[in-house]
Amino acid sequence: VQLQASGGGLVQPGGSLRLSCAVSGSIFSVNYMGWYRQAPGKQRELVASITSGGNVNYADSVKGRFTISRDNPKNTVSLLMNTLKPEDTAVYYCNLKNIDFSKGWDIYWGQGTQVTVSC
């Protein structure tokens, strides 16, 4: 399984960015796709996730500003980020969690894309 993230960049506070992640390889019928981020000196944290059934979950810090979506036929997951703040600056990683209820799960990561929110 490979994940290729794109769409990061430099944006002013209040601006918007869309991150995309293309997934290739074996994707189980039950899975989570998500976005995590890691700021300098901080631990990686969940930003948003979406299940294969379409259920979404957001970190409190991004609720109402970020929207996660997925396109199953294209095997992509996207993150629309609006009203960006300087504290959103981080490297963003896309993530796939394949779930097999009889065996457990496997987790895969993309390479990360830098998002910088600054004047």
Side-chain angles (χ1 to χ4, degrees):
V1 176
Q2 292 187 327
L3 290 82
Q4 181 69 43
S6 60
L10 173 65
V11 64
Q12 292 186 345
S16 298
L17 277 177
R18 176 184 288 273
L19 305 182
S20 295
C21 180
V23 184
S24 59
S26 177
I27 302 174
F28 290 6
S29 58
V30 179
N31 65 77
Y32 287 76
M33 289 185 175
W35 290 92
Y36 287 69
R37 67 186 180 188
Q38 188 166 19
K42 295 188 177 181
Q43 288 189 330
R44 191 173 296 188
E45 63 176 359
L46 173 68
V47 176
S49 66
I50 184 167
T51 70
S52 45
N55 294 316
V56 298
N57 181 47
Y58 295 97
D60 288 342
S61 59
V62 307
K63 282 180 181 177
R65 300 189 297 122
F66 291 11
T67 303
I68 189 170
S69 60
R70 60 189 290 167
D71 186 331
N72 290 330
K74 295 183 179 179
N75 291 337
T76 59
V77 58
S78 298
L79 185 69
L80 175 62
M81 304 183 293
N82 293 323
T83 319
L84 282 160
K85 304 176 181 180
E87 51 263 43
D88 294 317
T89 295
V91 177
Y92 283 70
Y93 299 89
C94 58
N95 161 280
L96 167 68
K97 185 177 184 179
N98 274 335
I99 299 172
D100 182 331
F101 290 111
S102 65
K103 298 180 180 179
W105 59 83
D106 293 311
I107 297 176
Y108 305 91
W109 294 94
Q111 83 283 10
T113 183
Q114 177 71 46
V115 172
T116 302
V117 185
S118 175
C119 298

